[in-house]
Amino acid sequence: MPKLNIDGTEIDVEDGITLIQACEEAGVEIPRFCYHERLSVAGNCRMCLVEVVGAPKLVASCAMGVSDLRPGPEGQPPEIKTLSPKVKKAREGTMEFLLINHPLDCPICDQGGECDLQDQAVAFGGKLSRFDENKRAVEDRNIGPLIKTIMTRCISCTRCVRFMTEIAGFDELGQTGRGEGAEITTYLDTAILSEMSGNVIDLCPVGALTSRPFAFTARSWEMKKTETIDVMDANGANIRIESRGNEVLRIMPREHDAVNEEWISDKSRFVWDGLRSQRLDRPYIRDEGVLREASWKEAFSTIATKVNSVSPVRIAAIAGDLCGVEEMFALKELLTALGTPNMDCRQDGSLLDPALGRESYVFNSTIEAIDDTDLLLIVGSNPRLEAPVINARIYQNWLNGDMPIYLVGQDADLLYDYESLGDGPEQLVEILNGKSPLSKALEKAKRPMILLGQAAFARDDGKDILALAGRVAQEKGFVRTGDNWNGFNILHTAAARVGGFDIGFVPGEGGVRTNSILNAAEKGEMEVVFLLGADEINVNKLSTTFVVYQGSHGEIGAQMADVILPGAAYTEKSATYVNTEGRVQMTSKATFPPGEAREDWKIIRELSEYLGKPLSFNTIEQLHQSLYKTAPHLASLNSIDVEQGGEMFKNFTMKELQLRSEPFGISIVDFYLSNPIARASAIMAEMSALKQERDRGAA
C-alpha cells in the first residue's frame, strides 16, 4: 500500500484511489463541487486544489491518483499540503470566480440551509469580492413537473449531466455553448422522463435544480427527519421522511450501498402528496348501497355478525402489496383461529410457492452482486419500471464493462442494449437444450445471473415456468455451489410479497389462492372476503360478497367494501418489510394516521375480540415475540438469511412440465400509477399523463 504524508501525518492508503479520497481517509476535508464519489471525474470546478510538494503547480486532488505521485528525493512518501497559504489563496480565488455571476438568492432559494456553495463560501472563501460588473442571466428551462430550474445559479459542475448519462441512462441533459454562454439544458427543450431524474436535485451543489413540488414550502431546519424504508417497489430503498406537524413535505434518499446506494426513484421521492389525498380517516358501513360514517364499535359488530353466521370455508383474505409483516401476521393468526385456510398475499395471481424454500422466491445473489455479474438473462421482467434503482445498477455494469444482456419477454426500452431471444417459455427450453444464442456466452461466463420477473409466474403455468427456470439455472451454470454463487434471482414488484411468503400468508391445506377466491366470490361460494390494502384485483367479482376493506386510501377495494376500516400508510407506522433479496428492514413512524385511522395490526387485534377469537398479543412487543417464533430471521434487521444449499432445485428438477405457448405479459403498465398511494398523487398523475403523451408522439 502506498504511503502519503498529508499535512504532516503519514498514512497508508489503498493503491489506485485519488488524492481527494486519500485525504478523506486521513480525516482532512477537501472542498469540492464537481466531484462526486459515484460519478466520473470531471475536474472542472478546481475547488479541490491541493499542494503536492515538488510539483510545479497546485493539482486537482479529484483527478490525481496516489499512484501517480513520486516519492521524495530520499525515497520519503509524497507530501501533500491542504492548508498551506498557497492552497488557501487558490481556494479563495476559485470561490471568487464562482460567485462572479451567482445571484444573491439565498433568502429566497429552496437550497438555502443545505447548499454546498453557501457552506464552502463560508468555510473556504474570501471575505469580499473585487468584481462589480453586471451578472449574467440565463433563461430558465422547463424540464418537467418534478425539477425546478433557475439556471442563473448554475456553476457548470456537470454533476446532473454525468448522473443522467452514467447512472440514470438518459442522454437528455447536457451543456451547450462556450464561455459565458455555456448552460446546462435538455437537448430538445423537452421534459425529462427518466424514472430517476429527481436525484439531480440532491446532486446539485447550488440552487439551480430544486424540487418543483416542494418549492417555497419549508426550510430544512423546520422539518422533522425520520429515517425509514420505501415501499413503492420491492427494492426497499432507504429513505428519510421530512415532515412538519402531521404532514409529509419531502422524501429524500439515505445511503445504503448494498440496496440503493444513494438513489431513489421519482415515484419514491415525489409520491408524498398522495399520502394526504383520498385518505380513509374513519370507519364506514354500507347501508342500502350507500356508505355512511360509523363508529369503530359499530363497524366491528357488523363484521362479527356476518362472520359468525358464515362457515369458515366461505371466508377468505387477500393482502395487498404495501402491507407490513405485522398486520399480515395478525390477520393470518385471526384467520387460523377462525378455521379458514383461504388467504393469499399474491394479488397478481403469481404462483411462486414458499413451500419450495426461500431460495425459490428471493434475489439470491443479492442486489449488490449485480455489480460483479458478467452475463444477465432477464425473463418476463422490465426492471426499468419494476425496480428503477436495480435497473440503474444493471445499466452501470453494462456501461462500464462488456456484460452481455439477453431478454426473454416483451421488448422494451431498458436503457441498455440487449439481445432479444423471444417472448415465451419455449426460449427457456432452447437454453436448457443448448440451442440458444445464449449458450456460447454462458460457457465463458463465471458469474451469470438470471433475473425472473413476476410476469413469468402470474399465469396458469407459473409453477412450471419456475421449475423450468430452476433447471436452466442449475444445469447452465447460473448456480455454482462450488464457487458459492447463486445467480437465480426473483425480482418482486410488491414490497409486501417476500415478507408475506416468509410468514406463510398463502393458502393453507385445502385453501384457495387469489384467483380462486375471486372466482368463488363471483359464483356466490365465498361469502366474506377481507381485503388488507388489496386494490390490484378485479373487485367486480366481489359484487355479491360481503367485503371488509382495511387500508389507508379510498381506492378500488374500498369502493366495493361493505365495511371500511381506516388503516395507516407506510409513513405512519413501524412495520417490518422484507425486500426482494430477503433483507429484513423496518419503517419508522414519521407522522400519525389521520382522523380515527389506526395502525393495522391494532385494528385486527381489536376485531379479534368482537369475533370471539382474541389474539395472544396486546402490544407490538408481544406481537414481535410471536412473529419471531414463526420466522426467527425477521428479528435480524438489515440482514439476509438465505440458505445457499440448492435444496430448492431438487424439488422440481425432474418435474414433467406443461408449458403454455403464450408470451410473457407485463407486470407494471404505468410506472407512476402502480399502487393506491401513487394513484392518489397529483404529481404522479401529471407525470403519467406526460409520459403517455410522449409515447403517443413517438408512435
Side-chain angles (χ1 to χ4, degrees):
M1 296 178 68
K3 291 183 180 294
L4 292 181
N5 186 317
I6 300 177
D7 291 337
T9 302
E10 190 171 299
I11 65 167
D12 293 318
V13 297
E14 183 181 347
D15 193 13
I17 67 173
T18 59
L19 271 181
I20 194 171
Q21 293 171 315
C23 291
E24 288 177 345
E25 289 186 7
V28 177
E29 181 182 1
I30 302 294
R32 82 291 300 269
F33 289 112
C34 68
Y35 174 78
H36 190 276
E37 294 83 352
R38 301 189 193 277
L39 303 177
S40 63
V41 174
N44 55 9
C45 78
R46 318 312 285 180
M47 196 65 197
C48 67
L49 293 173
V50 297
E51 181 180 358
V52 178
V53 175
K57 59 181 180 180
L58 300 179
V59 301
S61 59
C62 69
M64 175 68 76
V66 297
S67 56
D68 297 327
L69 300 177
R70 297 179 180 177
E74 298 179 2
Q76 62 267 46
E79 185 177 355
I80 314 299
K81 294 182 179 180
T82 69
L83 301 173
S84 66
K86 191 176 180 181
V87 172
K88 184 175 184 295
K89 183 178 180 181
R91 290 174 178 172
E92 291 178 354
T94 300
M95 182 62 70
E96 190 174 0
F97 275 111
L98 288 174
L99 295 176
I100 290 174
N101 287 309
H102 196 79
L104 302 177
D105 283 349
C106 297
I108 60 164
C109 176
D110 277 323
Q111 200 89 328
E114 47 190 5
C115 173
D116 291 345
L117 187 62
Q118 277 185 332
D119 297 339
Q120 294 186 41
V122 172
F124 303 103
K127 296 181 180 179
L128 50 87
S129 173
R130 292 170 287 177
F131 292 86
D132 57 8
E133 290 82 0
N134 291 330
K135 295 178 180 289
R136 74 163 187 163
V138 178
E139 182 181 353
D140 294 335
R141 304 290 185 179
N142 182 4
I143 60 175
L146 302 182
I147 304 170
K148 180 182 178 183
T149 63
I150 304 182
M151 301 313 293
T152 300
R153 301 171 184 164
C154 179
I155 62 171
S156 294
C157 71
T158 68
R159 280 187 181 182
C160 55
V161 176
R162 284 175 284 147
F163 170 81
M164 294 302 295
T165 303
E166 300 167 10
I167 308 295
F170 263 70
D171 295 328
E172 291 190 358
L173 200 62
Q175 187 170 39
T176 63
R178 299 180 66 186
E180 189 177 86
E183 60 175 304
I184 304 291
T185 181
T186 53
Y187 292 120
L188 300 176
D189 277 338
T190 56
I192 297 176
L193 291 179
S194 164
E195 294 79 16
M196 301 274 289
S197 65
N199 292 288
V200 301
I201 296 169
D202 303 329
L203 289 171
C204 184
V206 295
L209 303 175
T210 55
S211 171
R212 187 181 293 276
F214 177 73
F216 309 121
T217 300
R219 290 294 195 184
S220 60
W221 58 84
E222 296 180 284
M223 298 180 287
K224 182 184 74 172
K225 298 172 176 60
T226 307
E227 295 186 348
T228 185
I229 304 300
D230 173 58
V231 301
M232 292 297 106
D233 55 35
N235 183 49
N238 287 226
I239 59 174
R240 184 177 74 239
I241 302 290
E242 300 191 356
S243 58
R244 184 174 58 187
N246 205 40
E247 187 176 20
V248 174
L249 299 180
R250 189 165 63 170
I251 298 176
M252 305 282 283
R254 286 191 295 129
E255 189 170 357
H256 194 309
D257 285 342
V259 178
N260 60 298
E261 297 180 299
E262 57 188 86
W263 321 121
I264 55 174
S265 72
D266 287 349
K267 183 164 57 180
S268 302
R269 182 185 296 270
F270 293 106
V271 78
W272 48 265
D273 69 319
L275 290 167
R276 57 184 114 148
S277 301
Q278 302 180 23
R279 289 302 304 269
L280 298 173
D281 58 358
R282 55 181 55 85
Y284 288 87
I285 293 176
R286 190 177 299 277
D287 275 344
E288 298 181 356
V290 179
L291 287 171
R292 63 170 178 83
E293 296 181 13
S295 65
W296 280 102
K297 181 178 180 180
E298 186 181 6
F300 288 143
S301 298
T302 301
I303 296 170
T305 300
K306 180 64 177 179
V307 169
N308 291 333
S309 66
V310 173
S311 170
V313 296
R314 290 177 172 265
I315 301 173
I318 303 172
D321 294 345
L322 305 182
C323 295
V325 171
E326 283 79 0
E327 54 256 35
M328 287 190 289
F329 178 76
L331 183 55
K332 180 189 176 185
E333 293 290 289
L334 177 58
L335 294 170
T336 301
L338 290 172
T340 177
N342 304 316
M343 65 187 82
D344 205 348
C345 63
R346 304 165 296 186
Q347 61 174 342
D348 59 356
S350 169
L351 292 179
L352 288 175
D353 186 359
L356 294 173
R358 209 164 187 246
E359 276 182 293
S360 70
Y361 62 84
V362 299
F363 206 97
N364 289 286
S365 68
T366 73
I367 294 170
E368 197 172 19
I370 293 173
D371 302 340
D372 302 321
T373 190
D374 53 4
L375 182 147
L376 177 63
L377 171 62
I378 301 173
V379 180
S381 176
N382 182 338
R384 177 180 168 186
L385 301 184
E386 296 170 15
V389 176
I390 291 178
N391 197 60
R393 276 193 188 261
I394 297 172
Y395 174 77
Q396 290 173 74
N397 190 343
W398 170 82
L399 187 68
N400 298 328
D402 56 355
M403 176 181 68
I405 301 176
Y406 299 86
L407 174 68
V408 176
Q410 295 194 16
D411 288 340
D413 181 7
L414 301 180
L415 305 176
Y416 38 78
D417 295 336
Y418 60 84
E419 181 177 346
S420 178
L421 302 178
D423 58 6
E426 58 270 14
Q427 276 71 46
L428 291 177
V429 176
E430 290 181 0
I431 295 172
L432 186 64
N433 296 332
K435 299 179 180 180
S436 170
L438 173 65
S439 300
K440 289 186 178 180
L442 273 173
E443 294 175 1
K444 301 176 183 178
K446 296 181 179 179
R447 296 172 75 86
M449 179 183 293
I450 180 170
L451 188 155
L452 297 146
Q454 296 307 297
F457 310 116
R459 38 190 285 162
D460 292 340
D461 59 350
K463 285 189 176 181
D464 295 307
I465 298 294
L466 179 64
L468 175 58
R471 291 170 64 173
V472 169
Q474 188 177 41
E475 296 182 21
K476 295 302 175 180
F478 290 95
V479 178
R480 302 183 179 187
T481 307
D483 297 336
N484 196 28
W485 173 254
N486 188 342
F488 182 87
N489 295 322
I490 306 297
L491 180 61
H492 288 279
T493 57
R497 191 65 52 80
V498 176
F501 285 164
D502 282 350
I503 63 170
F505 200 95
V506 291
E509 185 176 353
V512 294
R513 61 188 181 94
T514 297
N515 292 349
S516 299
I517 291 172
L518 297 176
N519 291 335
E522 187 177 30
K523 297 175 183 178
E525 299 171 358
M526 198 68 70
E527 297 186 43
V528 178
V529 175
F530 286 88
L531 299 181
L532 183 60
D535 294 278
E536 319 302 326
I537 58 174
N538 184 1
V539 295
N540 294 325
K541 293 187 175 184
L542 301 174
S543 57
T544 61
T545 307
F546 186 86
V547 177
V548 179
Y549 180 84
Q550 179 178 328
S552 60
H553 284 69
E555 247 273 315
I556 300 170
Q559 294 169 10
M560 187 60 66
D562 293 279
V563 178
I564 296 175
L565 306 176
Y570 71 103
T571 57
E572 299 159 358
K573 60 187 176 185
S574 294
T576 303
Y577 288 88
V578 188
N579 77 347
T580 193
E581 62 181 346
R583 185 182 301 271
V584 182
Q585 302 184 106
M586 184 172 286
T587 61
S588 298
K589 180 186 289 188
T591 59
F592 290 94
E596 298 179 30
R598 303 177 183 177
E599 290 189 42
D600 293 279
W601 75 268
K602 293 181 179 179
I603 296 173
I604 297 168
R605 173 63 184 84
E606 187 168 353
L607 175 60
S608 70
E609 292 283 351
Y610 283 81
L611 293 173
K613 305 290 184 180
L615 299 179
S616 61
F617 42 81
N618 296 312
T619 65
I620 190 65
E621 291 79 15
Q622 293 173 349
L623 187 155
H624 283 154
Q625 287 178 5
S626 298
L627 173 63
Y628 299 155
K629 289 179 181 178
T630 301
H633 67 279
L634 295 179
S636 302
L637 293 181
N638 200 35
S639 67
I640 300 176
D641 178 29
V642 180
E643 295 182 2
Q644 300 290 345
E647 293 297 324
M648 176 266 295
F649 302 105
K650 298 177 182 178
N651 293 327
F652 49 53
T653 50
M654 301 304 294
K655 184 178 184 292
E656 290 298 325
L657 305 180
Q658 296 180 354
L659 302 174
R660 301 180 63 175
S661 60
E662 65 187 51
F664 294 124
I666 301 174
S667 294
I668 293 180
V669 177
D670 192 330
F671 165 75
Y672 298 102
L673 303 177
S674 62
N675 62 61
I677 300 177
R679 289 190 288 269
S681 166
I683 302 172
M684 293 296 100
E686 186 176 3
M687 288 302 297
S688 175
L690 190 61
K691 180 66 166 59
Q692 291 178 29
E693 181 182 350
R694 177 79 62 87
D695 291 344
R696 285 193 297 268

